[in-house]
Amino acid sequence: MAISRFATSSVAQGLPKYQKLWDGVSIYTPPSFESIATVSVGSGGISSVIFSSIPQTYKHLQIRAKLRGTASDSAGQSWIRFNDVTTEDYVWHGIYATGGGIGQENSTFTAKDGVYSAFRHPSGTATSGMWGSGICDILNYASSTQYKTVKTLSGYDANGSGQVRLYSGFLASTTNPITKIEIKDQSGSNYAQYSHFALYGIRG
Amino acid sequence: MAITYEPLGTYTVSNENTKIISFTSFSGYTDLVAVVTGGFYNATQPSFFLNGDSDWGSYSSTWMDGAGGSVRNGRYQGQGYGLISPNSWNDTGQNFGIINFSDYASSNTYKSIISNATTDSGPYPNYSVTTYRSNSPITSIDFRGVGYNNWIPGSKFTIYGIGAA
Amino acid sequence: MTATFEKIASITVGSGGSANATFSSIPQTYTDLKLVANGRVSQSANQTNPGIAFNGSTSTFTYGFISGTGTGYGYSSGSSNPINDVNAANSTSNLFTNFDIYIPNYANSSNKPFIINSAQENNASNAYVELWGMLWSTGAAITSISLTSGSTWVEGSTFHLYGIKNS
């Protein structure tokens, strides 16, 4: 079987494209999508991921995560909390598919002390090496007059099990700007070493 | 400051006998995002394989789509490719997918890839998550049809690097 | 040097609201467009579907979407120009729908497939998370995008248009 292969290489071989702010020819324009902070989980794991003192100078936030829990279960899910609010003030909804069925959830039936199921991921008894990933968007996070709707696309596949999820939620008790985000496994167990969470700001 | 949304490569198919499009050499970022538009002369599912690895058993996927009047889901185990879309892409070229490769350069974990796509007929929106069972950093991405069908000219592929602080 | 993920324009709806959110004279120098919106409309309902127009045209659109409400789910499709459900007047106050629209290759003369991801929340058992696939079957470069509320986009609704460049 003939295979036609066309290969392209990156412009720069692993080097940053812009090594100087001004290359003497033109002015570098930073992108509107900017990295704010990153949490990379080391040996021993961590119990929660915290982004604090979030600059209020962006318009939107995005969290990009790769994660695995350590709870004695094959799969887990994580909640997101804002500004240390832990009371039963979060509302959330979602749709998920396992490959063997489709379902939906909402906060009417379960706990409301975080935006639940924001990320779905393998846990401690899942096949070694399996990881989940997810992208979470929070718009107008610095507004003082609007509730902040969270939108998350996440999932994992463990070669015989898995789940994809599209979930949403918001903190219903306050419209305060978001200055702190905490992400935590709902089981209370640690995230495994090599889990990775990155916070980005999007300029508006 | 970490570089974000850095274009690392782009390719537009011009030859009607093109089966595989390869991208290599994208070190220095945290995530990769690929944007793919196009289709195949003989409709097939668009897919990818990594590091030249198309061995059966290297990939598995869980997916959800809307098609045929209902929401559907499924799972592929022990595959030789990862999914861009569980739905076939035809020769109109009016099909589109965004693929997120999370922490692609890790040398300690398997790779988790989320794809969000749509087809022209329907349209059929869908998303899927693929696990690539290798701890090796991703150093190459090949896009192909599951049936190794020919991409139509005009099919377009771009990869962006997203750094993290 | 041109930034590769760059804000093109933004709209913040002021007092009195606005029937439409329109980006016109879109530069043709990017590869893809991403429209990030946080919107709410004034219609008397919990949620409603605004419309979309490219270059002033509301025709030749087709859509298919997955919807999860928290108490159910479904798929619908059709040949018209609605977009995702957004918060309307009877939903929880001060709550806006988080949605984004990604349009690849907007500046070429081919038909345009695009994707919408949406989260419309409400302090109730029902809300709408949605994934849309759409197609605009007019082979023309997109020079304007309009989101038509069907009533008014309320004050505080925001729309940001970003250009993504592949080189």
Side-chain angles (χ1 to χ4, degrees):
Chain A
M1 172 170 55
I3 296 175
S4 298
R5 185 181 294 266
F6 292 84
T8 62
S9 299
S10 63
V11 172
Q13 296 289 322
L15 297 175
K17 187 173 186 178
Y18 307 111
Q19 291 179 283
K20 292 185 285 188
L21 203 61
W22 182 46
D23 62 6
V25 176
S26 55
I27 296 173
Y28 169 62
T29 305
S32 297
F33 188 91
E34 191 170 292
S35 174
I36 298 174
T38 299
V39 174
S40 296
V41 180
S43 65
I46 55 173
S47 60
S48 66
V49 174
I50 294 175
F51 296 108
S52 58
S53 302
I54 296 172
Q56 300 292 291
T57 50
Y58 299 95
K59 195 62 182 174
H60 311 306
L61 299 175
Q62 184 175 91
I63 301 168
R64 303 177 69 90
K66 183 199 83 174
L67 65 169
R68 179 183 171 105
T70 59
S72 297
D73 204 345
S74 61
Q77 49 213 3
S78 296
W79 50 246
I80 291 178
R81 282 184 183 156
F82 300 136
N83 299 351
D84 291 324
V85 174
T86 59
T87 51
E88 297 268 311
D89 288 337
Y90 294 85
V91 176
W92 50 272
H93 301 78
I95 181 174
Y96 65 88
T98 66
I102 302 164
Q104 69 288 320
E105 291 183 308
N106 70 75
S107 50
T108 300
F109 305 107
T110 52
K112 304 179 189 179
D113 56 350
V115 178
Y116 269 62
S117 303
F119 292 107
R120 183 70 169 169
H121 50 80
S123 282
T125 62
T127 304
S128 175
M130 298 300 177
W131 291 79
S133 58
I135 300 171
C136 174
D137 291 298
I138 308 167
L139 304 191
N140 288 5
Y141 73 101
S143 168
S144 59
T145 59
Q146 298 178 3
Y147 295 115
K148 318 303 184 288
T149 300
V150 173
K151 169 166 57 72
T152 304
L153 183 62
S154 75
Y156 75 95
D157 182 277
N159 196 35
S161 64
Q163 196 166 118
V164 290
R165 291 194 164 193
L166 180 57
Y167 271 60
S168 67
F170 73 105
L171 171 56
S173 61
T174 177
T175 58
N176 286 343
I178 295 173
T179 58
K180 179 177 180 180
I181 296 172
E182 181 182 9
I183 305 167
K184 190 172 175 69
D185 191 318
Q186 288 171 205
S187 71
S189 298
N190 284 357
Y191 290 114
Q193 183 184 16
Y194 309 123
S195 295
H196 179 93
F197 302 81
L199 178 69
Y200 296 87
I202 302 171
R203 300 190 184 279
Chain B
M1 180 185 298
I3 299 292
T4 63
Y5 261 96
E6 175 78 5
L8 302 180
T10 190
Y11 186 77
T12 302
V13 174
S14 59
N15 184 307
E16 60 186 15
N17 295 313
T18 303
K19 298 182 186 298
I20 297 177
I21 290 82
S22 297
F23 291 86
T24 61
S25 304
F26 20 69
S27 61
Y29 301 91
T30 301
D31 294 347
L32 298 176
V33 175
V35 178
V36 179
T37 58
F40 301 92
Y41 281 113
N42 297 303
T44 186
Q45 295 164 315
S47 66
F48 58 87
F49 58 100
L50 306 172
N51 297 350
D53 182 358
S54 58
D55 290 345
W56 290 97
S58 292
Y59 308 83
S60 56
S61 303
T62 299
W63 56 267
M64 177 164 75
D65 78 352
S70 63
V71 183
R72 311 180 308 178
N73 75 132
R75 210 185 301 128
Y76 298 150
Q77 295 175 231
Q79 298 292 300
Y81 53 85
L83 280 181
I84 293 175
S85 168
N87 309 112
S88 292
W89 286 9
N90 57 17
D91 62 356
T92 65
Q94 300 165 170
N95 310 287
F96 159 46
I98 300 176
I99 310 99
N100 289 275
F101 301 84
S102 178
D103 204 15
Y104 74 98
S106 170
S107 57
N108 299 295
T109 68
Y110 291 173
K111 307 305 178 288
S112 178
I113 302 120
I114 289 178
S115 178
N116 186 188
T118 183
T119 60
D120 77 327
S121 58
Y124 302 146
N126 57 83
Y127 70 99
S128 53
V129 60
T130 294
T131 291
Y132 172 49
R133 299 161 68 97
S134 169
N135 289 332
S136 298
I138 295 173
T139 57
S140 71
I141 302 174
D142 292 282
F143 297 103
R144 67 166 170 99
V146 168
Y148 284 100
N149 301 359
N150 292 338
W151 292 94
I152 62 169
S155 297
K156 189 170 182 178
F157 310 79
T158 302
I159 295 185
Y160 300 91
I162 299 180
Chain C
M1 295 176 205
T2 302
T4 54
F5 187 109
E6 187 176 41
K7 188 189 83 172
I8 297 173
S10 62
I11 298 170
T12 300
V13 178
S15 170
S18 176
N20 305 316
T22 299
F23 295 96
S24 55
S25 301
I26 297 173
Q28 301 292 291
T29 51
Y30 299 95
T31 306
D32 303 337
L33 296 176
K34 184 170 183 177
L35 196 163
V36 178
N38 203 50
R40 182 183 178 97
V41 300
S42 60
Q43 188 168 331
S44 180
N46 280 329
Q47 67 285 324
T48 185
N49 300 92
I52 191 166
F54 290 159
N55 302 352
S57 172
T58 60
S59 59
T60 75
F61 285 94
T62 52
Y63 67 89
F65 72 96
I66 298 169
S67 177
T69 66
T71 57
Y73 57 86
Y75 166 74
S76 296
S77 63
S79 300
S80 56
N81 67 321
I83 61 170
N84 50 284
D85 285 273
V86 302
N87 288 85
N90 298 345
S91 66
T92 303
S93 300
N94 301 316
L95 196 54
F96 291 69
T97 300
N98 171 338
F99 66 100
D100 58 77
I101 304 173
Y102 196 106
I103 309 168
N105 306 324
Y106 73 101
N108 70 21
S109 59
S110 301
N111 293 345
K112 305 292 183 297
F114 57 101
I115 286 172
I116 305 176
N117 283 302
S118 171
Q120 180 265 335
E121 266 294 340
N122 198 17
N123 195 350
S125 56
N126 267 19
Y128 289 78
V129 289
E130 297 174 353
L131 170 61
W132 286 61
M134 294 191 72
L135 178 68
W136 186 52
S137 297
T138 298
I142 295 173
T143 57
S144 74
I145 299 172
S146 186
L147 301 183
T148 55
S149 67
S151 50
T152 59
W153 293 104
V154 303
E155 180 181 4
S157 295
T158 62
F159 307 86
H160 294 85
L161 184 66
Y162 299 90
I164 299 169
K165 193 163 174 62
N166 71 351
S167 63

